[in-house]
Amino acid sequence: MSRIGRMTIKIPDKVKVTSVPGLVNVEGPKGKIAQKLELDMKVTVEKNEIRVERPDDSRRARQLHGLTRTLVANMVQGVTTGFSRALDITGVGYKAELKGKEIHLALGFSHPVVYPLPAGVTAEYDAKANRLTVKGADKHQIGLVAAEIRKLRPPEPYKGKGVKYAEEIIRRKQGKTGAT
């Protein structure tokens, strides 16, 4: 039996979980999340805990057991505490500015890059540290938004200019040496 799949998920106060075959809805203080799941996986809600069960011991069912439990646990965590991803913007003149539901980025191009934030995602910008933080309830969506922003100007290996994750380490190259 899957070690992760057999663990129960505690439902905190102010969180409402409903489950029908193939779909789980979680609603809490930070928002609502709905997730399609495999029809074979059985998600049961009892009192204040969630249990994920698999139909048999086939290879596919074993693979999906831990995944399904983790997806549901991330949904519960997302609507209670939320998720965030920090991005560092490095380079002379590189900066970000928040205007409503849009991020205006100056990334060394001849024009500012405008990135519209999807529904359920918010952003904060610390001008001193030049750090953009993306926040929301859906872990998958936060990861996608952070990856799309990073993709606008990935860090380059010589000077390290660009947008990188806060915990990311850029391997720097030495560059040319003067041959005199």
Side-chain angles (χ1 to χ4, degrees), residues 3 12 17 19 31 44 57 59 64 67 77 81 97 105 144 157 166:
R3 289 190 182 125
V17 180
S19 173
T44 56
D57 270 350
R59 182 182 183 99
L64 290 171
L67 172 69
Q77 183 184 347
T81 58
E97 187 179 352
L105 297 153
L144 284 177

Side-chain angles (χ1 to χ4, degrees), residues 10 15 32 45 74 83 94 103 120 137 142 177:
K10 302 285 187 232
V15 175
K32 300 177 188 177
V45 180
N74 284 343
F83 292 100
Y94 287 25
I103 302 173
I142 295 301
T177 57

Side-chain angles (χ1 to χ4, degrees), residues 150-161:
R150 182 186 182 276
K151 197 168 138 184
L152 296 172
R153 181 69 118 182
E156 53 98 12
Y158 294 101
K159 293 184 180 178
K161 294 179 2 179

Side-chain angles (χ1 to χ4, degrees), residues 110-132:
S110 62
H111 59 282
V113 179
V114 178
Y115 183 83
L117 289 172
V121 177
T122 59
E124 293 176 359
Y125 180 63
D126 180 15
K128 286 188 178 181
N130 218 6
R131 179 169 286 191
L132 181 69

